[in-house]
Amino acid sequence: VRCQKLHLLGFLWKEVGPTHVSWPMFYTFERMARMINMKQEILPGYEIVVDWFDDAWNPYLSATIITEQFIKNPNRYVGVLQGSDPGAATISKIAYLQNLPHIGFHIAAAMSDRALAPAYFRTQLQSTDISPAVVAFLQSMGWKTLGVVFEPTQFPMEVQIFQDHYMTTFNLTFVLPMPAGNMGADRQKIIDSIQSSQLRVLFVWGEPDVMSPLVCGLIKANVAGISMMYFPSTPFYNV
């Protein structure tokens, strides 16, 4: 069956490879597009096609790309996908001027503000809804002993906020850095701390490519029963 193509303009940081946080978003969008295209009852007579552009997670580059594409191809796109966290609001405003929706995984509560992001439609709950629910779940299960692992060059603020606001709620057995260089000694120290404390929950602030060696190390050490969780910092002010 010949279908009319519906083009979406999508942003992806390609150069960093498949372990970066942008790639799971890419795979999810592509999988959903294939499912919708196969199930013609959802959009009968249409085929979704995503034109992906590398914005290097740079808000200035994404704004330039979307502006250039709308000038060169004024009638090509029916929507915009994702974009970097810092540039999401700008992308949403540019999409709004073209009367197009902006769809993404961004969890910042500010993206629900129509004045800031007038065209944005989120694909998951905002952070201020997620974090309180998780905290309540941990408390209801009696899981009050936690460990924290973080990437020191990017996430010291998140760890400090968590410590400042939850020292009386949770018992933090350790707070350890996991440098981007994936140093073996640091990784082994974290594994030893987990084994000695018998943790159930480990809070993680770090990119997937930094933390994946830690997961591999835990598997090799036969450490099981650990839930690894990642949350943004700002919602913790509101719980």
Side-chain angles (χ1 to χ4, degrees):
V1 178
R2 190 173 184 84
C3 296
Q4 180 180 346
K5 296 183 184 297
L6 298 176
H7 288 267
L8 299 172
L9 192 159
F11 291 103
L12 174 72
W13 191 0
K14 296 180 181 179
E15 292 184 359
V16 293
T19 56
H20 186 262
V21 66
S22 64
W23 282 87
M25 300 171 188
F26 163 77
Y27 292 131
T28 301
F29 280 126
E30 283 292 315
R31 184 170 183 267
M32 291 300 103
R34 286 196 297 269
M35 290 178 63
I36 293 173
N37 292 338
M38 291 176 61
K39 296 180 179 293
Q40 274 294 293
E41 63 268 24
I42 299 177
L43 285 175
Y46 293 95
E47 176 188 358
I48 294 177
V49 178
V50 183
D51 299 341
W52 292 102
F53 293 88
D54 186 358
D55 67 348
W57 221 241
N58 183 318
Y60 302 104
L61 182 56
S62 59
T64 300
I65 291 172
I66 190 173
T67 302
E68 289 179 348
Q69 288 302 311
F70 285 163
I71 293 174
K72 293 178 182 178
N73 306 289
N75 300 313
R76 179 179 179 85
Y77 296 106
V78 298
V80 181
L81 299 181
Q82 199 53 26
S84 67
D85 291 331
T90 301
I91 292 173
S92 180
K93 290 176 181 177
I94 296 174
Y96 179 76
L97 293 176
Q98 299 295 317
N99 199 28
L100 298 178
H102 173 212
I103 306 167
F105 282 88
H106 303 290
I107 62 175
M111 293 299 290
S112 294
D113 184 349
R114 287 303 180 194
L116 179 67
Y120 187 69
F121 294 86
R122 59 177 70 255
T123 58
Q124 60 181 343
L125 293 173
Q126 64 187 32
S127 55
T128 49
D129 294 328
I130 297 173
S131 297
V134 173
V135 170
F137 170 75
L138 294 175
Q139 290 175 328
S140 68
M141 297 298 293
W143 295 346
K144 295 186 177 183
T145 301
L146 309 177
V148 173
V149 176
F150 68 101
E151 188 178 344
T153 57
Q154 295 191 42
F155 298 94
M157 181 185 71
E158 284 83 346
V159 174
Q160 190 60 54
I161 291 173
F162 186 85
Q163 288 180 287
D164 291 344
H165 291 267
Y166 284 94
M167 285 300 292
T168 59
T169 304
F170 297 107
N171 174 30
L172 300 181
T173 58
F174 60 83
V175 178
L176 296 173
M178 181 70 175
N182 291 320
M183 302 297 291
D186 295 294
R187 185 165 63 249
Q188 189 58 49
K189 184 177 180 179
I190 294 170
I191 294 173
D192 292 342
S193 299
I194 293 174
Q195 287 178 315
S196 61
S197 61
Q198 297 182 334
L199 283 180
R200 293 292 301 274
V201 180
L202 179 67
F203 275 86
V204 175
W205 279 280
E207 299 292 353
D209 57 333
V210 177
M211 293 301 163
S212 55
L214 173 60
V215 175
C216 294
L218 291 171
I219 294 173
K220 291 179 180 179
N222 293 319
V223 177
I226 299 293
S227 295
M228 300 181 70
M229 300 183 178
Y230 169 83
F231 297 104
S233 58
T234 50
F236 291 120
Y237 283 121
N238 303 317
V239 178

